[in-house]
mmCIF file of all heavy atoms in Angstrom:
data_model
loop_
_atom_site.group_PDB
_atom_site.id
_atom_site.type_symbol
_atom_site.label_atom_id
_atom_site.label_comp_id
_atom_site.label_asym_id
_atom_site.label_seq_id
_atom_site.Cartn_x
_atom_site.Cartn_y
_atom_site.Cartn_z
ATOM 1 N N GLY C 460 0.252 4.045 -65.362
ATOM 2 C CA GLY C 460 1.230 3.380 -64.509
ATOM 3 C C GLY C 460 2.421 2.849 -65.276
ATOM 4 O O GLY C 460 3.577 3.060 -64.880
ATOM 5 N N LYS C 461 2.178 2.210 -66.395
ATOM 6 C CA LYS C 461 3.290 1.598 -67.133
ATOM 7 C C LYS C 461 4.113 2.624 -67.902
ATOM 8 O O LYS C 461 5.275 2.376 -68.223
ATOM 9 C CB LYS C 461 2.767 0.520 -68.078
ATOM 10 C CG LYS C 461 2.013 1.011 -69.298
ATOM 11 C CD LYS C 461 1.523 -0.149 -70.148
ATOM 12 C CE LYS C 461 0.830 0.307 -71.421
ATOM 13 N NZ LYS C 461 0.342 -0.830 -72.230
ATOM 14 N N ARG C 462 3.543 3.798 -68.172
ATOM 15 C CA ARG C 462 4.266 4.841 -68.898
ATOM 16 C C ARG C 462 4.827 5.925 -67.976
ATOM 17 O O ARG C 462 5.425 6.886 -68.450
ATOM 18 C CB ARG C 462 3.345 5.490 -69.936
ATOM 19 C CG ARG C 462 2.902 4.559 -71.053
ATOM 20 C CD ARG C 462 1.939 5.243 -71.992
ATOM 21 N NE ARG C 462 2.523 6.418 -72.599
ATOM 22 C CZ ARG C 462 1.812 7.380 -73.193
ATOM 23 N NH1 ARG C 462 0.491 7.313 -73.214
ATOM 24 N NH2 ARG C 462 2.418 8.422 -73.730
ATOM 25 N N GLY C 463 4.622 5.792 -66.677
ATOM 26 C CA GLY C 463 5.129 6.795 -65.754
ATOM 27 C C GLY C 463 4.401 8.120 -65.842
ATOM 28 O O GLY C 463 5.004 9.185 -65.642
ATOM 29 N N LEU C 464 3.104 8.097 -66.126
ATOM 30 C CA LEU C 464 2.329 9.324 -66.296
ATOM 31 C C LEU C 464 1.582 9.726 -65.030
ATOM 32 O O LEU C 464 0.704 10.597 -65.068
ATOM 33 C CB LEU C 464 1.341 9.158 -67.452
ATOM 34 C CG LEU C 464 1.978 8.907 -68.823
ATOM 35 C CD1 LEU C 464 0.913 8.826 -69.906
ATOM 36 C CD2 LEU C 464 2.987 9.993 -69.165
ATOM 37 N N ALA C 465 1.897 9.089 -63.932
ATOM 38 C CA ALA C 465 1.345 9.482 -62.632
ATOM 39 C C ALA C 465 2.286 8.957 -61.564
ATOM 40 O O ALA C 465 2.889 7.896 -61.733
ATOM 41 C CB ALA C 465 -0.060 8.914 -62.434
ATOM 42 N N CYS C 466 2.440 9.707 -60.483
ATOM 43 C CA CYS C 466 3.305 9.289 -59.374
ATOM 44 C C CYS C 466 2.443 8.626 -58.316
ATOM 45 O O CYS C 466 1.766 9.300 -57.551
ATOM 46 C CB CYS C 466 4.054 10.490 -58.791
ATOM 47 S SG CYS C 466 5.216 11.255 -59.925
ATOM 48 N N GLN C 467 2.468 7.287 -58.291
ATOM 49 C CA GLN C 467 1.643 6.561 -57.333
ATOM 50 C C GLN C 467 2.371 6.446 -55.985
ATOM 51 O O GLN C 467 3.599 6.526 -55.946
ATOM 52 C CB GLN C 467 1.328 5.157 -57.875
ATOM 53 C CG GLN C 467 0.561 5.141 -59.180
ATOM 54 C CD GLN C 467 1.484 5.179 -60.381
ATOM 55 O OE1 GLN C 467 2.693 5.056 -60.248
ATOM 56 N NE2 GLN C 467 0.922 5.353 -61.557
ATOM 57 N N PRO C 468 1.573 6.265 -54.911
ATOM 58 C CA PRO C 468 0.124 6.022 -54.881
ATOM 59 C C PRO C 468 -0.671 7.311 -55.031
ATOM 60 O O PRO C 468 -0.198 8.377 -54.658
ATOM 61 C CB PRO C 468 -0.095 5.395 -53.508
ATOM 62 C CG PRO C 468 0.968 6.003 -52.656
ATOM 63 C CD PRO C 468 2.161 6.155 -53.561
ATOM 64 N N ALA C 469 -1.871 7.198 -55.583
ATOM 65 C CA ALA C 469 -2.652 8.372 -55.932
ATOM 66 C C ALA C 469 -4.028 8.330 -55.283
ATOM 67 O O ALA C 469 -4.565 7.265 -54.983
ATOM 68 C CB ALA C 469 -2.816 8.466 -57.452
ATOM 69 N N ILE C 470 -4.579 9.523 -55.072
ATOM 70 C CA ILE C 470 -6.010 9.658 -54.855
ATOM 71 C C ILE C 470 -6.624 9.827 -56.236
ATOM 72 O O ILE C 470 -6.242 10.743 -56.976
ATOM 73 C CB ILE C 470 -6.351 10.876 -53.983
ATOM 74 C CG1 ILE C 470 -5.644 10.799 -52.634
ATOM 75 C CG2 ILE C 470 -7.859 10.986 -53.790
ATOM 76 C CD1 ILE C 470 -5.781 12.065 -51.800
ATOM 77 N N VAL C 471 -7.540 8.957 -56.608
ATOM 78 C CA VAL C 471 -8.127 9.003 -57.944
ATOM 79 C C VAL C 471 -9.518 9.614 -57.855
ATOM 80 O O VAL C 471 -10.383 9.121 -57.121
ATOM 81 C CB VAL C 471 -8.198 7.605 -58.578
ATOM 82 C CG1 VAL C 471 -8.715 7.713 -60.013
ATOM 83 C CG2 VAL C 471 -6.832 6.934 -58.568
ATOM 84 N N GLY C 472 -9.719 10.704 -58.583
ATOM 85 C CA GLY C 472 -11.022 11.331 -58.670
ATOM 86 C C GLY C 472 -11.705 10.944 -59.960
ATOM 87 O O GLY C 472 -11.070 10.936 -61.028
ATOM 88 N N VAL C 473 -12.975 10.598 -59.895
ATOM 89 C CA VAL C 473 -13.746 10.206 -61.077
ATOM 90 C C VAL C 473 -14.984 11.095 -61.146
ATOM 91 O O VAL C 473 -15.831 11.071 -60.238
ATOM 92 C CB VAL C 473 -14.164 8.723 -61.011
ATOM 93 C CG1 VAL C 473 -14.926 8.331 -62.280
ATOM 94 C CG2 VAL C 473 -12.949 7.820 -60.824
ATOM 95 N N GLY C 474 -15.078 11.897 -62.195
ATOM 96 C CA GLY C 474 -16.249 12.719 -62.435
ATOM 97 C C GLY C 474 -17.114 12.067 -63.495
ATOM 98 O O GLY C 474 -16.621 11.746 -64.580
ATOM 99 N N ILE C 475 -18.377 11.856 -63.191
ATOM 100 C CA ILE C 475 -19.281 11.168 -64.110
ATOM 101 C C ILE C 475 -20.458 12.081 -64.410
ATOM 102 O O ILE C 475 -21.142 12.549 -63.491
ATOM 103 C CB ILE C 475 -19.801 9.852 -63.496
ATOM 104 C CG1 ILE C 475 -18.643 8.969 -63.029
ATOM 105 C CG2 ILE C 475 -20.672 9.101 -64.491
ATOM 106 C CD1 ILE C 475 -19.098 7.745 -62.238
ATOM 107 N N GLY C 476 -20.694 12.320 -65.699
ATOM 108 C CA GLY C 476 -21.855 13.083 -66.111
ATOM 109 C C GLY C 476 -21.528 14.531 -66.424
ATOM 110 O O GLY C 476 -20.376 14.927 -66.541
ATOM 111 N N GLY C 477 -22.589 15.317 -66.558
ATOM 112 C CA GLY C 477 -22.417 16.697 -66.989
ATOM 113 C C GLY C 477 -22.014 16.745 -68.455
ATOM 114 O O GLY C 477 -22.287 15.837 -69.238
ATOM 115 N N ALA C 478 -21.357 17.821 -68.859
ATOM 116 C CA ALA C 478 -20.725 17.913 -70.165
ATOM 117 C C ALA C 478 -19.248 17.555 -69.994
ATOM 118 O O ALA C 478 -18.793 17.264 -68.894
ATOM 119 C CB ALA C 478 -20.885 19.326 -70.724
ATOM 120 N N LYS C 479 -18.478 17.600 -71.093
ATOM 121 C CA LYS C 479 -17.074 17.193 -71.009
ATOM 122 C C LYS C 479 -16.323 18.005 -69.965
ATOM 123 O O LYS C 479 -15.596 17.449 -69.126
ATOM 124 C CB LYS C 479 -16.392 17.336 -72.370
ATOM 125 C CG LYS C 479 -14.918 16.962 -72.344
ATOM 126 C CD LYS C 479 -14.281 17.060 -73.725
ATOM 127 C CE LYS C 479 -12.814 16.636 -73.669
ATOM 128 N NZ LYS C 479 -12.166 16.700 -75.000
ATOM 129 N N ASP C 480 -16.491 19.327 -69.992
ATOM 130 C CA ASP C 480 -15.762 20.149 -69.031
ATOM 131 C C ASP C 480 -16.228 19.893 -67.604
ATOM 132 O O ASP C 480 -15.439 19.952 -66.662
ATOM 133 C CB ASP C 480 -15.882 21.634 -69.390
ATOM 134 C CG ASP C 480 -17.324 22.125 -69.415
ATOM 135 O OD1 ASP C 480 -18.215 21.342 -69.789
ATOM 136 O OD2 ASP C 480 -17.557 23.293 -69.065
ATOM 137 N N THR C 481 -17.509 19.567 -67.422
ATOM 138 C CA THR C 481 -18.032 19.321 -66.081
ATOM 139 C C THR C 481 -17.421 18.077 -65.460
ATOM 140 O O THR C 481 -16.964 18.091 -64.312
ATOM 141 C CB THR C 481 -19.566 19.172 -66.117
ATOM 142 O OG1 THR C 481 -20.135 20.282 -66.801
ATOM 143 C CG2 THR C 481 -20.140 19.076 -64.712
ATOM 144 N N CYS C 482 -17.397 16.966 -66.204
ATOM 145 C CA CYS C 482 -16.890 15.729 -65.624
ATOM 146 C C CYS C 482 -15.388 15.821 -65.369
ATOM 147 O O CYS C 482 -14.891 15.273 -64.373
ATOM 148 C CB CYS C 482 -17.231 14.518 -66.492
ATOM 149 S SG CYS C 482 -16.331 14.359 -68.038
#
Side-chain angles (χ1 to χ4, degrees):
K461 72 181 183 181
R462 295 177 59 197
L464 298 183
C466 295
Q467 299 88 9
I470 302 172
V471 184
V473 182
I475 306 172
K479 179 178 182 179
D480 59 326
T481 308
C482 72

